[in-house]
Amino acid sequence: MTGPEPAEAGRLLAAARRPVVFTGAGMSAESGVPTFRDAQTGLWQRYDPQELATPAAFRADPALVWGWYEARRRGVRRAEPHPGHRAVAAIVARLPDTVVITQNVDDLHERGGVPAPVRLHGSLFAPRCSACARPAPIPEDATAPEDDAAPGDGVASGDAVAPGGMPAPPDGRVTPPACAGCGAPVRPGVVWFGEALPSAALDAAVGAASGCDLLLTVGTSALVHPAAEIPLVAARLGAPVVQVNPVPTPLDAICAVNLRGPAGEVLPALVCAAWPDADAG
Ligand code: BV8
Ligand code: ZN
């Protein structure tokens, strides 16, 4: 990256003591996990993620929605954290008061060394009963014939696996397991459109953004609310905001520095700019 931006961002990070790192789907793009903006592929290409990720879609066709999340979970299981995830962990290691807030439902921050990110939209690894909310076990991942599909690509045609390991029907439908307590269908532990965010996570995020002295926003289009308001909270209270995104977003105007590039390259460079002696992970 050329220009004064990287050095300026490095200076802001080095001066910070209570930074917030706020991430979206672009943070995991280089690990092969499709973003929400990316067109769906394979048998899911005819579905709009914003339609599938709703209580109404699950009520209408639980096997379709469960199949989609199972395919995404298997894709994430095959994905690996990239140097950008490790750079975020290096920031946390260097500045223990750092708060990492993510919109992502993958577990790449944890596997990249960030023990407890604030999860605004839940996780692919926390299924629960759709009626009594009883936590449910993560289905065994029997090895599917096409299990050598690309990392992250949870949408390869043969990716969905029916209980018992048999390849799922070609349409990706997988009947959700029944709750061990009340027998109702198990649902993915994510926040669907139209559903409230977990209040503890939202409160923690707003609290961290209100008290931070730098907010680093990485790989988000800032279009989904209320998550998109987190960087605005920090800016409104005078904290500098630094954005990492290859393209402009609605956040550009509030940012002290816009770093135009992929997270996997920009974040390690930012850590080196802030702490030349640091091992950026
Ligand atoms: C609610 C989990 C009410 C599921 C998700 C105010 C204004 C307008 C609309 C609303 C509003 N308030 C509420 C709404 C409605 C709605 C909403 O925001 N709609 C939008 C679409 C207009 N919000 C809701 O429904 C929320 N709930 O409001 O409930 C309520 C309140 C009280 C009581 C009852 C009800 C719930 C929203 C959460 C939905 N769940 N995820 C799942 O994953 O399946 S949202 C999901 O989409 C993600 O979690 C994420 O938040 C969002 C995708 O956005 P991004 O992460 O930013 O990803 P995107 O693909 O868009 O962009 C990627 C970016 O990365 C791009 O900019 C790209 O350039 C960049 N990039 C690409 N490669 C790289 C990169 N950057 C760096 N490096 C790279 N290599
Ligand atoms: Zn139940």
Side-chain angles (χ1 to χ4, degrees):
M1 295 202 63
T2 55
E5 288 83 4
E8 173 58 10
R11 193 188 62 71
L12 289 169
L13 180 55
R17 289 298 167 269
R18 299 179 311 286
V20 159
V21 181
F22 177 68
T23 67
M27 179 75 219
S28 297
E30 292 149 275
S31 296
V33 180
T35 71
F36 258 66
R37 268 357 66 204
D38 290 337
Q40 301 231 89
T41 56
L43 46 83
W44 303 101
Q45 63 195 321
R46 56 194 157 98
Y47 300 102
D48 171 354
Q50 259 168 241
E51 273 156 35
L52 278 179
T54 62
F58 186 72
R59 275 193 302 275
D61 192 340
L64 180 72
V65 172
W66 182 257
W68 182 51
Y69 281 97
E70 278 297 274
R72 290 172 62 188
R73 185 177 61 78
R74 297 174 61 75
V76 167
R77 203 172 57 80
R78 277 193 299 272
E80 291 300 328
H82 59 66
H85 291 107
R86 288 188 283 280
V88 173
I91 295 171
V92 175
R94 170 83 52 158
L95 300 171
D97 293 338
T98 302
V99 176
V100 177
I101 302 167
T102 191
Q103 300 167 77
N104 300 343
V105 292
D106 64 54
D107 63 346
L108 294 175
H109 275 307
E110 288 89 339
R111 288 159 53 195
V114 175
V118 174
R119 299 197 146 279
L120 290 177
H121 295 160
S123 163
L124 289 171
F125 301 90
R128 68 175 190 269
C129 174
S130 58
C132 73
R134 177 191 174 121
I138 294 175
E140 284 312 309
D141 284 337
T143 52
E146 289 81 9
D147 211 355
D148 56 3
D153 179 11
V155 290
S157 56
D159 200 47
V161 174
M166 296 310 297
D171 63 5
R173 283 183 168 75
V174 178
T175 305
C179 168
C182 73
V186 168
R187 59 162 285 171
V190 301
V191 179
W192 282 328
F193 288 94
E195 290 187 322
L197 275 56
S199 53
L202 187 55
D203 294 350
V206 171
S210 307
C212 75
D213 51 10
L214 170 70
L215 186 137
L216 188 54
T217 177
V218 183
T220 187
S221 58
L223 297 174
V224 172
H225 293 263
E229 281 137 46
I230 297 297
L232 306 179
V233 169
R236 217 176 287 136
L237 291 162
V241 177
V242 171
Q243 177 170 228
V244 178
N245 197 312
V247 302
T249 75
L251 294 174
D252 279 39
I254 68 160
C255 290
V257 182
N258 283 296
L259 301 174
R260 292 265 182 270
E265 292 167 23
V266 171
L267 291 173
L270 176 59
V271 166
C272 288
W275 306 293
D277 64 321
D279 155 24

